[in-house]
Amino acid sequence: MLGASGYAGAIAAMLVHRHPFFELAHVTARSEAGSRLDDIHPRTRVPLELESWDPDAQSDVDAALVCWPHRVAAPAVAALRERGVRVVDLSADFRLRDRGIYEDWYGPHGAPALFGQGVYGLPELHRDAIAGADLVANPGCYPTAALLALAPLARAGLIGDVVIDAKSGVSGAGREPTSATHFISADENMTPYKVDRHRHTPEIEQELAGLGAPVTITFTPHLVPLAQGELVSCYVTPARGAGPDEVAQLYDDAYAREPWVELRNGPPGVLEVRDTNYCRISVHADPRTGRILAFASIDNLWKGAASQALQNLALMFGRDEREGLA
Amino acid sequence: MLGASGYAGAIAAMLVHRHPFFELAHVTARSEAGSRLDDIHPRTRVPLELESWDPDAQSDVDAALVCWPHRVAAPAVAALRERGVRVVDLSADFRLRDRGIYEDWYGPHGAPALFGQGVYGLPELHRDAIAGADLVANPGCYPTAALLALAPLARAGLIGDVVIDAKSGVSGAGREPTSATHFISADENMTPYKVDRHRHTPEIEQELAGLGAPVTITFTPHLVPLAQGELVSCYVTPARGAGPDEVAQLYDDAYAREPWVELRNGPPGVLEVRDTNYCRISVHADPRTGRILAFASIDNLWKGAASQALQNLALMFGRDEREGLA
Amino acid sequence: MLGASGYAGAIAAMLVHRHPFFELAHVTARSEAGSRLDDIHPRTRVPLELESWDPDAQSDVDAALVCWPHRVAAPAVAALRERGVRVVDLSADFRLRDRGIYEDWYGPHGAPALFGQGVYGLPELHRDAIAGADLVANPGCYPTAALLALAPLARAGLIGDVVIDAKSGVSGAGREPTSATHFISADENMTPYKVDRHRHTPEIEQELAGLGAPVTITFTPHLVPLAQGELVSCYVTPARGAGPDEVAQLYDDAYAREPWVELRNGPPGVLEVRDTNYCRISVHADPRTGRILAFASIDNLWKGAASQALQNLALMFGRDEREGLA
Amino acid sequence: MLGASGYAGAIAAMLVHRHPFFELAHVTARSEAGSRLDDIHPRTRVPLELESWDPDAQSDVDAALVCWPHRVAAPAVAALRERGVRVVDLSADFRLRDRGIYEDWYGPHGAPALFGQGVYGLPELHRDAIAGADLVANPGCYPTAALLALAPLARAGLIGDVVIDAKSGVSGAGREPTSATHFISADENMTPYKVDRHRHTPEIEQELAGLGAPVTITFTPHLVPLAQGELVSCYVTPARGAGPDEVAQLYDDAYAREPWVELRNGPPGVLEVRDTNYCRISVHADPRTGRILAFASIDNLWKGAASQALQNLALMFGRDEREGLA
């Protein structure tokens, strides 16, 4: 796998390493090649040496997980696909289907010929397409939580308008030491960031539209002082009246048989899903305001990135999507 | 002052004790009388013994701060007023002006004859009324932040609808040890609570209506893992179009000369206002969605309770409202 | 298992529930019987109902883990042994072999006939005895870390005197909400506690003596603001001179083949062993002072309690002690 | 003052800015000149622009606080002294009196002519010398706490041997974003660091020797997950027997009249001294082991650096050392 030195990459490497079916062949890093992964990330206990990426030498594999940043990922994915390697890409490069929108939010694409060829890898929405795919675009962390929170309402035509207030732990800001990720800046603090221009916005809008809810969303993320965990609070102005029973039934129909979604009566906390592939959801129709409130919590590095990549990989290879994640 | 053993009460006692003009005569506690305040709350360094409350023995004062819970506070306030003592009450008992609404959210009132007699103690909105008042109802922490964030828009008739997503540190849950305030429950966690039924809702609606915005709000608080600090993220659907310049001007007009409000271009963090009476505000008109986003951060125990009580007390006694708080 | 509602008990129940060989038959709780374990401790995802303990009805098992407090545990252990159930007891009741010392530190024993019958369940020291035992006394968390840090020096006769400065996360204080475990008390704080009289002292001294180091230790624990994790810093005044190479060799001989001990050159952090059965150790012979410094980190709820209980259970039943813990 | 962009420097600037007697003339920064201090450190609310340091242009002052790193500080201090400016230097450059020891631990000195000319600025030990000094060397944070904890025993000839186990919050590691100060590294973690070679060691030994205790200390610092706060746990093997009463009397004699030392019966927490110039101390003579345990807590950025610098400055100018710090 490519990019094992970041937080999500390291967890993905650990999950493949422990997996009963998959085998971890290579771990690469752009600037820390030569180090052992378990020296950089002791908790993984993966005793492999990080290699520089070499598509020719490392294509002796059936599949690759690419944990590189957007725009850098695309050419690597193209090189892997040319060599017949199936790919789960954790960057944003293959999530969007409208190239103009991609370029507005991210700039020029690094592998135009492949643009739009990825299957959007949210298994609960696109399980069948993932099963046959050679290139899966693993969703962003916020879209994972927001789309799972909103999908039942979107499909039922209930989303007239929606405000998504999202909160994430500090690992979402990446492993690079910066002023913002310094303990003294983050500890005992919380703050909105990238107000009205976070790049996960078009991804959420694209998928909501695909579900039947072509809305312009208001999406604002916040940084909170914890390591891993993400909570989205979705405030839906419904397109038509809908009572608590109808709303509850929609969520039950959608998720009662999903192995990685837990419906709850009370609001979810992020600690309950820490270090797991679970998404916890609760929904409340408020008679006083007429609004529908949907909350979802995930671990941003697991269901929001690494373990969802494994879930996708399992589906691509016809395996049980719970395998290696329980 | 009454109720000095709680978190806000202890800070209020400390601020009075250090104050250049006011003098701290008595500190009371309901269950910890006999202890010294600086043993229970070392950071206050107030070397006074907590007394049981006795209105006759302790009315040798010009003013009292009452830091008791709602419904318990009202009879104590009544007893103090009967003895000619001016009062800042930090409970909810004198904030609302519609008794039916009070009873819906809080139950029967503990001093019906005084109901509705308090001046709502948000100095930035009601400075003149506070100056002449004998009974000031100190606002709730969430209403303080939310109203300061929204007042300029409310006055300008710009609030068509609003979602308020609020986040608070754990001190907001009070000093009682509970399962929710246990370190192991709160650390590395965050969760919505009292979804669609938090008692600060009618207080915010009452004051917004008074400013010209009679809206039914959606208000949801969240618990985050830090000690003191509160952030409100307000998502306003404007009643009419309004550009960034007009919006910025409204906030500048409202707050440029306020000693305890800091307008910022970027989003506010809670650490920047920790242990202070400041409220930090930023506002963003989003051209993509047409929404106006207003953020405000305060220290829930200071501007959200104790230091605002001192600010009110200063105004009541004709003093500079910055005195003893800088 | 008995006492699944506490922190260590819940993890022990989770580990048995997920175990490939053992099967979880019953979970009991003294005050929360009737609730489901995964409602009280969502992270366990154990969907069993907590029962009141009934030795007759629940003795249809081969083994029991007892996670009750000292003095309450002993009679329950006795009842289980009478019914032929093999027991790992996580309390202090069967760790000490000198009844006078037990009574000095804990008071009267709850099952005197069984006193001293437990095998001290630190597998790295007593693996063979555990394998044949019917009653294993699972060590305290501090003794686990301290004894693993000091055993190679003790066996070599190198401990002339030792100061053990220990630091633990807040879960060590138990699940009962108290003033000390309130988030506002523990967050951003640290403090020594039970100075010169912590009950793990005689347990450490007993085992050191058994290894050949009959010393009176100085042991002081400290509370630090994190959830799980324990670090012991041991300052040994050696009985005779010993160079870095000799000391390093002692640790290598002791631990190179241990599956759950990780020797490191640099000082260990507690995060590296979080949620695992590992103990990380480093040792430094300081030429400037002549002292030997040994550091060990564990997860106080795992290797310090629950997962070590599983490790012992595996040994008692002739299984691989890594099973179900990797 | 020089170096106002670091954590201690910013607090020192804030304290001077708010001070009733001193006036803040200049604030300098090496890499962030041109920014306003309250943009970089909002909590200071010091509305001054950071300047590049220019000894000629900025020597229109009576005194300077130098908050630069060791070796860089010395030449700046020399330049200031040449211009007649009195200096409190927060670096290590003028704390040691043996140049060989300085060079062993720090390397070549940056202003050899001034070496050894500083008065060691721990007011509780050297108040009179500080009063007449032109160059005061502000102590390190660990030496401040350790020396205040140990001074009464040192003076009484009671220290035969001592182990100092110290714990500090993350601000002690400085403002530079590094892998170690990243929130994800520090949060929920703790670890020893600079085992047996921390540079505060010779400083503590020098001052203990000056008090009559020429011992070789064992000193090990640990990083704990909190922002500000430092705790030293000192384990003294007494040179002769000493009972609890004698020991308590020594501390009472030393500190009962000290404005910034608080003696406590129970062990001190760091939160109790957060954001203050106080040092809290407790001492315990353990009859079981014969050891004397002394604990001290300070805020590493305040009494351990910035506020102690102000305390020294006040003494140098004949002011009350409590002024501006209460």
Side-chain angles (χ1 to χ4, degrees):
Chain A
M1 57 159 296
L2 282 61
S5 59
Y7 292 135
I11 293 172
M14 176 186 77
L15 292 172
V16 176
H17 180 65
R18 292 181 183 174
H19 200 277
F21 178 71
F22 299 113
E23 199 179 329
L24 185 61
H26 304 283
V27 285
T28 82
R30 289 178 299 157
S31 66
E32 295 172 298
S35 298
R36 255 175 60 161
L37 184 53
D38 56 2
D39 281 332
I40 296 180
H41 292 287
R43 301 184 73 184
T44 63
R45 290 185 168 79
V46 174
L48 296 185
E49 187 178 307
L50 291 162
E51 309 170 32
S52 292
W53 185 55
D54 178 338
D56 292 318
Q58 294 157 2
S59 294
D60 55 336
V61 295
D62 297 309
L65 301 180
V66 178
C67 300
W68 280 6
H70 61 86
R71 296 187 59 189
V72 184
V77 170
L80 289 162
R81 291 299 305 126
E82 281 163 20
R83 285 159 182 81
V85 179
R86 300 173 81 181
V87 173
V88 178
D89 175 38
L90 283 82
S91 86
D93 283 352
F94 299 97
R95 294 175 193 158
L96 297 177
R97 282 186 300 274
D98 182 313
R99 191 153 154 206
I101 290 177
Y102 179 91
E103 290 177 351
D104 277 357
W105 291 79
Y106 293 96
H109 194 267
L114 267 186
F115 184 85
Q117 303 299 306
V119 170
Y120 193 77
L122 193 53
E124 290 76 10
L125 300 188
H126 302 293
R127 185 169 281 118
D128 293 345
I130 293 163
D134 290 325
L135 171 54
V136 169
N138 214 57
C141 53
Y142 291 122
T144 294
L147 291 167
L148 291 175
L150 293 171
L153 301 177
R155 281 199 205 100
L158 271 169
I159 303 185
D161 188 16
V162 61
V163 168
I164 304 172
D165 184 292
K167 298 103 181 152
S168 173
V170 182
S171 60
R175 194 173 151 237
E176 183 74 18
T178 65
S179 170
T181 61
H182 195 298
F183 186 85
I184 301 305
S185 303
D187 177 52
E188 297 290 308
N189 205 356
M190 62 177 154
T191 184
Y193 70 97
K194 294 188 185 163
V195 171
D196 71 39
R197 56 187 166 80
H198 191 283
R199 281 165 165 161
H200 285 169
T201 306
E203 187 180 333
I204 300 171
E205 291 182 346
Q206 164 184 293
E207 293 298 309
L208 285 179
L211 291 164
V215 288
T216 299
I217 65 169
T218 293
F219 167 65
T220 305
H222 298 70
L223 193 67
V224 295
L226 54 89
Q228 292 166 229
E230 196 166 283
L231 176 71
V232 295
S233 304
C234 303
Y235 302 94
V236 175
T237 306
R240 59 173 173 80
D245 291 349
E246 179 189 350
V247 168
Q249 190 64 47
L250 291 172
Y251 281 75
D252 202 56
D253 290 349
Y255 295 131
R257 279 171 307 277
E258 281 295 337
W260 293 116
V261 177
E262 297 182 320
L263 285 180
R264 306 294 298 175
N265 287 324
V270 295
L271 193 53
E272 303 157 19
V273 296
R274 180 83 171 249
D275 295 332
T276 78
N277 193 50
Y278 286 105
C279 177
R280 280 212 160 191
I281 296 176
S282 75
V283 63
H284 308 259
D286 181 0
R288 207 183 73 89
T289 62
R291 277 220 169 78
I292 302 171
L293 280 56
F295 303 96
S297 66
I298 59 170
D299 185 315
N300 54 304
L301 296 181
W302 285 65
K303 180 65 175 169
S307 65
Q308 182 149 270
L310 267 285
Q311 188 183 358
N312 281 317
L313 200 64
L315 288 169
M316 290 164 74
F317 282 81
R319 311 290 304 178
D320 187 319
E321 66 198 280
R322 292 168 298 188
E323 196 177 35
L325 296 178
Chain B
M1 57 158 297
L2 282 62
S5 60
Y7 293 135
I11 292 172
M14 176 186 78
L15 291 172
V16 177
H17 180 64
R18 294 180 182 175
H19 201 277
F21 178 71
F22 298 113
E23 200 179 327
L24 185 61
H26 303 283
V27 284
T28 83
R30 288 178 300 158
S31 66
E32 295 172 297
S35 299
R36 256 176 57 161
L37 184 53
D38 56 2
D39 281 332
I40 296 180
H41 292 287
R43 301 185 72 184
T44 64
R45 291 186 167 77
V46 173
L48 297 184
E49 188 177 305
L50 291 161
E51 307 171 32
S52 292
W53 186 55
D54 178 340
D56 291 318
Q58 294 157 2
S59 294
D60 54 337
V61 295
D62 298 308
L65 301 181
V66 178
C67 301
W68 281 6
H70 61 87
R71 296 187 60 186
V72 184
V77 170
L80 288 162
R81 290 298 307 126
E82 281 163 21
R83 286 158 181 82
V85 179
R86 299 172 81 182
V87 173
V88 179
D89 175 39
L90 283 83
S91 86
D93 283 352
F94 299 97
R95 294 177 193 156
L96 297 176
R97 283 187 299 275
D98 181 314
R99 189 152 156 207
I101 290 177
Y102 179 91
E103 290 177 349
D104 277 357
W105 291 80
Y106 293 96
H109 194 266
L114 266 187
F115 184 85
Q117 303 298 307
V119 170
Y120 193 77
L122 193 54
E124 290 75 12
L125 301 188
H126 303 293
R127 184 168 282 118
D128 292 346
I130 294 164
D134 289 326
L135 172 54
V136 169
N138 214 55
C141 53
Y142 290 122
T144 294
L147 292 167
L148 291 175
L150 292 171
L153 301 176
R155 283 200 203 99
L158 270 168
I159 303 185
D161 189 15
V162 60
V163 168
I164 303 172
D165 184 291
K167 298 101 181 154
S168 174
V170 182
S171 60
R175 193 171 152 238
E176 182 73 21
T178 66
S179 171
T181 61
H182 195 297
F183 186 85
I184 301 304
S185 303
D187 177 51
E188 298 289 308
N189 206 356
M190 61 178 155
T191 184
Y193 70 97
K194 294 187 186 163
V195 171
D196 71 37
R197 58 187 167 79
H198 191 284
R199 281 164 166 161
H200 286 169
T201 305
E203 187 180 333
I204 299 172
E205 291 182 346
Q206 164 185 292
E207 293 298 309
L208 285 179
L211 291 164
V215 289
T216 300
I217 65 169
T218 293
F219 168 65
T220 305
H222 298 72
L223 193 66
V224 294
L226 55 90
Q228 292 167 230
E230 196 166 284
L231 175 72
V232 295
S233 304
C234 304
Y235 302 93
V236 175
T237 306
R240 58 172 173 81
D245 290 350
E246 179 188 350
V247 169
Q249 190 63 47
L250 290 172
Y251 281 75
D252 201 56
D253 290 348
Y255 296 131
R257 279 170 308 277
E258 281 295 339
W260 292 117
V261 177
E262 297 181 320
L263 284 180
R264 306 294 298 175
N265 287 325
V270 296
L271 194 53
E272 303 156 20
V273 296
R274 180 83 171 248
D275 295 331
T276 78
N277 195 48
Y278 287 105
C279 177
R280 281 211 158 191
I281 296 177
S282 75
V283 64
H284 306 260
D286 181 1
R288 206 182 75 88
T289 62
R291 277 218 169 80
I292 302 171
L293 280 56
F295 302 95
S297 67
I298 59 170
D299 185 315
N300 55 303
L301 296 180
W302 285 65
K303 180 65 174 170
S307 65
Q308 182 149 270
L310 267 284
Q311 188 183 359
N312 281 316
L313 200 64
L315 288 169
M316 291 164 74
F317 283 80
R319 311 291 304 178
D320 186 321
E321 67 198 281
R322 290 168 300 187
E323 197 178 36
L325 296 178
Chain C
M1 57 159 295
L2 281 62
S5 60
Y7 292 135
I11 293 173
M14 176 185 77
L15 291 172
V16 176
H17 179 65
R18 292 180 183 174
H19 201 276
F21 178 72
F22 298 112
E23 199 179 329
L24 184 61
H26 303 282
V27 285
T28 83
R30 288 178 299 157
S31 66
E32 294 171 297
S35 299
R36 255 175 60 159
L37 184 53
D38 56 3
D39 281 332
I40 296 180
H41 292 288
R43 300 185 75 183
T44 63
R45 290 184 169 79
V46 174
L48 296 185
E49 187 177 307
L50 291 161
E51 308 170 34
S52 292
W53 186 55
D54 178 340
D56 292 317
Q58 294 157 2
S59 294
D60 54 338
V61 295
D62 298 307
L65 301 181
V66 178
C67 300
W68 281 6
H70 61 87
R71 297 187 58 189
V72 184
V77 169
L80 287 161
R81 291 297 307 124
E82 282 163 20
R83 285 160 182 80
V85 179
R86 300 173 80 181
V87 174
V88 179
D89 175 37
L90 283 81
S91 86
D93 283 352
F94 299 97
R95 294 176 193 158
L96 296 176
R97 281 186 300 276
D98 181 313
R99 190 153 156 204
I101 290 177
Y102 179 91
E103 290 176 350
D104 277 356
W105 291 79
Y106 294 95
H109 194 267
L114 267 186
F115 184 86
Q117 303 299 307
V119 170
Y120 193 76
L122 193 53
E124 290 76 11
L125 300 188
H126 302 293
R127 185 168 281 118
D128 293 345
I130 294 164
D134 289 325
L135 171 54
V136 169
N138 215 55
C141 52
Y142 290 122
T144 294
L147 291 168
L148 291 175
L150 293 171
L153 301 177
R155 281 199 204 100
L158 271 168
I159 303 185
D161 189 14
V162 60
V163 168
I164 303 172
D165 183 292
K167 299 101 180 154
S168 173
V170 182
S171 60
R175 193 173 151 239
E176 183 73 21
T178 66
S179 172
T181 61
H182 196 297
F183 186 86
I184 301 303
S185 303
D187 178 51
E188 298 290 309
N189 205 357
M190 61 178 156
T191 184
Y193 69 97
K194 293 186 185 164
V195 171
D196 73 37
R197 57 186 167 82
H198 190 285
R199 281 166 166 160
H200 286 170
T201 305
E203 187 179 332
I204 300 172
E205 291 181 346
Q206 166 184 292
E207 294 297 311
L208 285 179
L211 292 164
V215 288
T216 300
I217 65 170
T218 293
F219 167 64
T220 306
H222 298 72
L223 193 66
V224 294
L226 54 90
Q228 292 167 229
E230 197 165 284
L231 176 72
V232 295
S233 305
C234 304
Y235 302 93
V236 175
T237 305
R240 57 172 175 82
D245 291 348
E246 178 188 351
V247 169
Q249 189 64 48
L250 291 172
Y251 281 75
D252 201 55
D253 290 348
Y255 296 131
R257 279 170 307 278
E258 281 295 339
W260 292 116
V261 177
E262 297 180 321
L263 284 180
R264 305 295 298 175
N265 287 325
V270 295
L271 194 54
E272 303 157 21
V273 296
R274 180 83 170 250
D275 295 331
T276 78
N277 194 48
Y278 287 104
C279 177
R280 279 209 161 194
I281 295 177
S282 75
V283 64
H284 307 258
D286 181 1
R288 206 183 74 89
T289 62
R291 277 221 169 77
I292 302 170
L293 280 56
F295 302 96
S297 67
I298 59 169
D299 185 316
N300 55 304
L301 296 181
W302 284 66
K303 180 65 174 170
S307 65
Q308 181 150 270
L310 268 284
Q311 187 183 359
N312 280 317
L313 199 64
L315 288 169
M316 291 163 75
F317 283 80
R319 311 290 305 177
D320 186 322
E321 66 199 280
R322 291 169 299 187
E323 197 177 34
L325 296 177
Chain D
M1 57 159 296
L2 281 61
S5 60
Y7 293 135
I11 293 172
M14 177 185 77
L15 292 171
V16 177
H17 179 64
R18 293 181 183 173
H19 201 276
F21 178 71
F22 299 113
E23 200 180 327
L24 184 61
H26 303 281
V27 284
T28 82
R30 289 178 299 158
S31 67
E32 294 172 297
S35 299
R36 256 175 59 161
L37 184 53
D38 56 2
D39 280 333
I40 296 179
H41 292 287
R43 301 185 74 183
T44 63
R45 290 185 169 77
V46 174
L48 296 185
E49 187 178 306
L50 291 162
E51 307 170 34
S52 291
W53 185 55
D54 178 340
D56 292 317
Q58 294 158 1
S59 294
D60 54 337
V61 295
D62 297 308
L65 302 180
V66 178
C67 300
W68 281 5
H70 62 86
R71 297 187 59 189
V72 184
V77 170
L80 288 160
R81 289 299 306 124
E82 282 162 21
R83 286 159 182 80
V85 179
R86 300 173 81 182
V87 173
V88 178
D89 175 37
L90 283 83
S91 86
D93 283 351
F94 299 97
R95 294 175 193 157
L96 296 176
R97 281 187 298 276
D98 181 312
R99 188 150 156 207
I101 290 178
Y102 179 91
E103 290 177 350
D104 277 357
W105 291 79
Y106 293 96
H109 193 266
L114 268 185
F115 184 86
Q117 303 299 307
V119 170
Y120 193 77
L122 193 53
E124 290 75 10
L125 300 189
H126 302 292
R127 184 168 282 118
D128 293 344
I130 293 164
D134 290 324
L135 172 54
V136 169
N138 215 56
C141 53
Y142 291 121
T144 294
L147 292 167
L148 291 175
L150 293 171
L153 301 177
R155 281 199 205 99
L158 270 168
I159 303 185
D161 187 15
V162 61
V163 168
I164 304 173
D165 184 293
K167 298 102 180 154
S168 173
V170 182
S171 60
R175 195 174 151 238
E176 183 73 21
T178 65
S179 171
T181 61
H182 195 297
F183 186 86
I184 301 304
S185 303
D187 177 52
E188 297 290 310
N189 205 357
M190 62 178 154
T191 184
Y193 70 97
K194 294 187 186 162
V195 171
D196 72 39
R197 58 186 165 79
H198 191 284
R199 282 166 165 159
H200 286 170
T201 305
E203 187 180 333
I204 300 171
E205 290 181 347
Q206 164 185 292
E207 293 298 309
L208 285 179
L211 291 164
V215 289
T216 300
I217 66 170
T218 293
F219 167 65
T220 305
H222 298 71
L223 192 67
V224 294
L226 55 89
Q228 292 165 231
E230 197 166 283
L231 176 72
V232 294
S233 305
C234 303
Y235 302 93
V236 175
T237 306
R240 57 172 174 82
D245 290 349
E246 178 188 352
V247 169
Q249 190 64 47
L250 291 171
Y251 281 74
D252 201 54
D253 290 348
Y255 295 131
R257 279 170 308 278
E258 282 295 337
W260 293 117
V261 177
E262 297 181 321
L263 284 180
R264 305 295 297 175
N265 288 324
V270 295
L271 194 53
E272 302 157 21
V273 295
R274 180 83 170 249
D275 296 331
T276 78
N277 193 50
Y278 286 105
C279 178
R280 280 211 159 193
I281 295 176
S282 75
V283 65
H284 308 259
D286 180 2
R288 206 183 74 88
T289 63
R291 278 222 168 77
I292 302 171
L293 280 55
F295 303 95
S297 66
I298 60 170
D299 186 315
N300 54 305
L301 296 181
W302 285 65
K303 180 65 173 170
S307 65
Q308 181 149 271
L310 267 284
Q311 187 183 358
N312 281 317
L313 199 65
L315 288 168
M316 291 163 74
F317 283 80
R319 311 289 306 177
D320 186 321
E321 66 198 281
R322 290 169 300 187
E323 196 178 34
L325 296 178

